Amino acid sequence: MNETDGSRVVEFAIGGMTCAACSARLEKVLNRQAGMQANVNLAAERARVRLSAELGEAAVLAAVTKAGFTAAVVDGGTREREKAAKSRLYRREIRRFWIAVALTLPLVGQMLFMFGEHAHQNELPRWLQLALATPVQFWIGWRFYDGAYKSLQGGGANMDVLVALGTSMAWGFSTVVTVFGLAQHVYFEGGAAVITLVLLGKLLEARAKARTSEAIESLIRLQPKTARVERAGRWVEMAVEALMPGDIFLVRPGESVPVDGEVVDGETSVNEAMLTGESMPVTKGAGDRVFAATANGEGAMRCRATGVGEHTLLAGIIRMVGEAQGSKAPVQRLADRISAVFVPAVCAVALVTFAGWWWYSDQFAVALVNAVAVLVIACPCALGLATPTAIMVGTGQGARAGILVKNAEALERAEKIAVLALDKTGTLTCGTPQVTDVVARAAGRDEALALAAALELNSEHPLARAIAAAGSGFAPEKVSNFRAFPGLGVEGEIAARMLRLGSPTWFGLDADPVIGELQRAGKTVVVLAEGAVVLALFAVADALRPSSREAVQRLRARGIRVVMLTGDNLSTAAAIAAEAGIDDYRAGIMPGDKSAAIAELKLGGGLVAMVGDGINDAPALAQADVGFAIGAGSDAAVEAADLTLIRSDLLGVCDAIALSTATLGKIRQNLFFAFIYNVLGIPLAAFGWLNPVVAGAAMAMSSVSVVSNSLLLKRWRPDN
């Protein structure tokens, strides 16, 4: 992504992070570098870095390597390479885990027989215990030593430091007792069991984390690999990557559309559920747009490619979902601050525990066991995974429902919206107005339509398209000296006649009784004039979307104040607002003033959101605390918005807010579990009420429980 100041954002795949302390330290290291602004995501194993114009990717790679991690620039093949590498690593770790189980079971199993009067007779020979525990400690557990070394080398401390320190203390003490034949109990089973259980936790966590990115994986799998393309009058099957804009391709019954395009000929129905979440097929004919990965029905169609490669709507969705999953919600800042000091604090608590118990019990072994329990039970992983895993699942579910989230911060804010400002045309209404009345005055009906259509022929405004469509049956007139006046209308010269076409206000006709009657009926009036002479009046009506009234009711039921903003006159605005069930509306707002209207609404307190679809809505969408772009709208609106609704339906806003509520609920639950786990677990271990083995099991399961709780978001479905 290129920025106006010459900076750019580059995404890196990061290897070697094991817990929240790792991601927090790496983010701190990168942000200390001149010209870098970084965001590191533990769950996604990604770093998004904004680089100044003077810096290259090599500077980031060097900084990451120096911090003790690995990095690679993310490209089109990164996901597949990562998937293959993780699969190999997972299989290797599974084998190591079962070897660890085989070596640890005899050590743990002996504990079942070490009760009663013959306890010591059932104990395994200590040299055998040493032989069993040592491979687990230094071979199976080498990953913890390696991670701890790299972490300390980079100037920080992570979970690996706690595990390596705690288990090494248990193994070292037991080895000294064994070698010198001291009359002390040994704790080989404690260290071996902790390493085995933590390894099990890591395997379960990796498996659960893989499921959090299923949404992107399923989107990637949707796009066909090949397309049937027309070449010299013949149909040739070729790779989708080889298609160019303008190529003609064939989509047969039951096939998926390979790239974005426009139907040249043929009629069919297309299932666009993967984009919009809407299960009803959409009828397609000549001139209609089709999108990559949507499923064709029973008809065949020839299409012209308009968007290929990274320029398809599907590629944009995948890119946007990936960016959202890699972004960081403000709610995570507290967890990040805690993680940064967590490991040193735990080491201090363990040291105090050791000293306190040695002084209290005068038994070195008891003090050691309790200090090891403190080190082992503490786990910053749960804190680090609490937010990103929920964000990953939530944004993935949103994408499946046609809700694209640009960043995690927008998803968090959506839940707190107090005021929602709505554009009228194309948002509340269908956005495809039609001319309903032609009131001829100084010109005949056909002449007026022909002149008006010629003036509006090249305009993209919905009202202009309606007038151009109404006059499409006439031979187009040549227009010269054309000028557009935003919010007022257009003027141009046709056959030496200087004509103006625009709002009644522009001509000072607000008091005209005919215009007033049409406006009270909820119609927009456009005036055609030659100088001071009014040639005709055109009444244009844009029907309210069938779902708009229900959406407004749902929003108000949530306690959200709904405000309609429109450039239409007061009478038309009042009619549409009444039909939609909106009490608060602002009429006659010029395109440039919508942003000012949002700023004014923000002065009233509370978060203000904006829903729009046109280019003129882009400044207001950017000004709002949360911007929603209707998916059928302009690229500028989609770019300025925080959330994009692929389906052009206001109910999508209700669904997006519901998704925000569900996701934030999971984040709060996860953070509560993570905090409570450590708040309760560390004191229990410090007071000697937790065996290191039990502490290791609890620590291993804490991260798994947080990720599993996030996965429950997969049950979320839109209400409509």
Side-chain angles (χ1 to χ4, degrees):
M1 183 190 300
N2 293 320
E3 306 291 338
T4 55
D5 60 358
S7 66
R8 65 196 188 285
V9 176
V10 184
E11 189 172 22
F12 296 85
I14 304 297
M17 294 191 298
T18 58
C19 71
C22 294
S23 57
R25 181 167 57 84
L26 179 57
E27 189 171 290
K28 191 175 180 180
V29 167
L30 292 175
N31 284 325
R32 278 203 303 256
Q33 310 298 314
M36 291 187 197
Q37 184 181 345
N39 175 23
V40 180
N41 187 305
L42 171 65
E45 297 181 329
R46 290 286 191 271
R48 288 177 57 78
V49 186
R50 176 175 275 106
L51 294 170
S52 64
E54 299 78 25
L55 287 181
E57 288 86 348
V60 179
L61 298 176
V64 172
T65 303
K66 189 175 180 181
F69 305 98
T70 61
V73 178
V74 173
D75 57 29
T78 298
R79 193 174 297 277
E80 288 301 318
R81 290 195 298 271
E82 280 186 331
K83 198 172 178 182
K86 286 181 179 179
S87 179
R88 290 194 300 270
L89 181 62
Y90 186 78
R91 289 195 299 269
R92 189 187 76 181
E93 292 300 313
I94 282 285
R95 288 195 297 270
R96 289 193 173 193
F97 167 72
W98 286 115
I99 293 171
V101 168
L103 294 171
T104 304
L105 272 179
L107 296 171
V108 176
Q110 70 175 337
M111 296 173 64
L112 301 175
F113 305 100
M114 291 178 63
F115 300 99
E117 55 182 312
H118 302 295
H120 292 289
Q121 296 177 13
N122 298 315
E123 186 180 32
L124 289 176
R126 292 186 174 183
W127 286 103
L128 178 57
Q129 291 188 51
L130 175 62
L132 291 170
T134 300
V136 176
Q137 183 70 40
F138 296 106
W139 177 47
I140 305 298
W142 178 251
R143 56 176 292 168
F144 301 112
Y145 288 100
D146 184 54
Y149 172 74
K150 289 178 178 177
S151 175
L152 294 171
Q153 187 184 41
N158 62 2
M159 185 203 72
D160 292 334
V161 173
L162 298 179
V163 175
L165 185 59
T167 57
S168 296
M169 287 170 63
W171 182 89
F173 173 77
S174 301
T175 300
V176 170
V177 169
T178 299
V179 170
F180 293 99
L182 304 178
Q184 293 281 352
H185 181 68
V186 291
Y187 298 95
F188 287 119
E189 77 286 342
V194 165
I195 288 174
T196 303
L197 288 168
V198 172
L199 188 56
L200 173 62
K202 284 292 179 185
L203 290 170
L204 294 174
E205 179 187 313
R207 189 173 177 180
K209 280 168 64 178
R211 292 179 59 198
T212 63
S213 58
E214 279 181 358
I216 285 189
E217 295 291 342
S218 63
L219 288 173
I220 292 172
R221 288 194 297 268
L222 286 172
Q223 187 166 14
K225 303 297 183 187
T226 60
R228 194 171 291 271
V229 184
E230 190 175 30
R231 289 284 187 270
R234 297 176 55 200
W235 294 109
V236 179
E237 193 162 310
M238 55 192 297
V240 167
E241 293 81 7
L243 263 70
M244 299 290 288
D247 282 345
I248 301 297
F249 61 89
L250 175 68
V251 185
R252 295 179 295 187
E255 293 182 340
S256 293
V257 180
V259 295
D260 290 2
E262 181 180 294
V263 179
V264 175
D265 56 55
E267 288 190 4
T268 185
S269 59
V270 177
N271 187 338
E272 297 182 342
M274 49 73 60
L275 292 178
T276 65
E278 178 58 60
S279 58
M280 290 296 293
V282 180
T283 302
K284 299 288 183 181
D288 290 331
R289 295 178 66 191
V290 291
F291 303 100
T294 54
N296 186 25
E298 297 179 355
M301 54 183 173
R302 289 172 66 244
C303 306
R304 180 179 294 105
T306 57
V308 300
E310 292 298 308
H311 301 289
T312 65
L313 180 60
L314 177 66
I317 291 174
I318 293 171
R319 186 165 55 249
M320 190 177 288
V321 173
E323 289 175 1
Q325 291 183 343
S327 62
K328 186 173 293 186
V331 73
Q332 192 175 344
R333 290 170 187 157
L334 175 62
D336 286 347
R337 287 197 295 268
I338 292 174
S339 298
V341 298
F342 187 85
V343 175
V346 169
C347 290
V349 172
L351 187 61
V352 171
T353 300
F354 177 77
W357 273 100
W358 198 0
W359 171 80
Y360 174 75
S361 66
D362 200 27
Q363 296 184 46
F364 179 85
V366 172
L368 178 69
V369 168
N370 291 333
V372 168
V374 169
L375 291 169
V376 168
I377 197 166
C379 180
C381 293
L383 283 173
L385 293 169
T387 299
T389 52
I391 292 293
M392 289 177 74
V393 179
T395 52
Q397 289 302 102
R400 289 179 174 177
I403 303 165
L404 300 186
V405 182
K406 185 176 287 186
N407 56 66
E409 187 172 355
L411 188 63
E412 180 177 337
R413 287 198 303 259
E415 182 199 33
K416 305 167 187 173
I417 293 170
V419 181
L420 183 69
L422 305 171
D423 174 52
K424 178 181 75 69
T425 305
T427 302
L428 272 173
T429 62
C430 295
T432 53
Q434 295 179 333
V435 175
T436 59
D437 304 88
V438 179
V439 181
R441 290 200 170 171
R445 182 183 187 279
D446 289 353
E447 179 190 2
L449 270 174
L451 294 172
L455 286 171
E456 298 285 34
L457 189 61
N458 296 317
S459 176
E460 289 298 315
H461 192 281
L463 297 181
R465 288 200 296 267
I467 293 173
S472 59
F474 302 100
E477 301 276 1
K478 184 179 179 181
V479 181
S480 58
N481 299 321
F482 180 84
R483 291 179 66 195
F485 298 86
L488 296 175
V490 297
E491 72 173 18
E493 190 175 337
I494 300 177
R497 301 170 67 184
M498 182 56 71
L499 303 170
R500 286 193 297 163
L501 183 71
S503 70
T505 304
W506 198 20
F507 300 92
L509 297 175
D510 289 331
D512 188 295
V514 176
I515 292 175
E517 184 180 347
L518 290 169
Q519 289 176 340
R520 282 190 291 275
K523 299 176 181 180
T524 300
V525 179
V526 180
V527 179
L528 176 67
E530 182 178 359
V533 180
V534 176
L535 302 181
L537 306 176
F538 302 96
V540 182
D542 184 9
L544 194 73
R545 291 186 189 275
S547 59
S548 290
R549 187 173 181 86
E550 181 188 349
V552 170
Q553 289 173 345
R554 285 195 195 179
L555 291 165
R556 295 180 66 173
R558 283 182 169 271
I560 297 173
R561 174 187 165 202
V562 181
V563 181
M564 185 181 79
L565 305 178
T566 178
D568 260 337
N569 61 80
L570 189 60
S571 300
T572 303
I576 292 293
E579 191 179 353
I582 297 174
D583 300 325
D584 194 349
Y585 55 90
R586 315 286 171 86
I589 294 183
M590 302 287 283
D593 295 336
K594 284 185 180 179
S595 179
I598 296 296
E600 181 187 338
L601 289 171
K602 290 170 75 172
L603 294 175
L607 262 68
V608 176
M610 170 72 185
V611 186
D613 74 319
I615 293 174
N616 61 341
D617 296 325
L621 289 169
Q623 173 74 28
D625 295 308
V626 183
F628 294 89
I630 295 290
S634 70
D635 291 341
V638 172
E639 183 64 29
D642 299 302
L643 297 99
T644 299
L645 312 175
I646 298 297
R647 186 174 66 248
S648 297
D649 189 335
L650 196 57
L651 282 172
V653 176
C654 303
D655 292 335
I657 295 172
L659 175 64
S660 171
T661 302
T663 304
L664 266 291
K666 283 299 173 194
I667 290 174
R668 293 186 187 105
Q669 291 171 14
N670 288 346
L671 289 174
F672 175 80
F673 292 151
F675 281 124
I676 286 297
Y677 165 81
N678 285 296
V679 166
L680 295 179
I682 293 175
L684 288 175
F687 284 109
W689 295 335
L690 277 182
N691 181 280
V693 175
V694 177
M699 188 268 274
M701 297 311 297
S702 63
S703 298
V704 178
S705 64
V706 164
V707 178
S708 300
N709 188 50
S710 294
L711 288 171
L712 293 178
L713 266 176
K714 285 181 173 287
R715 299 177 180 177
W716 180 86
R717 294 291 182 275
D719 292 332
N720 50 295

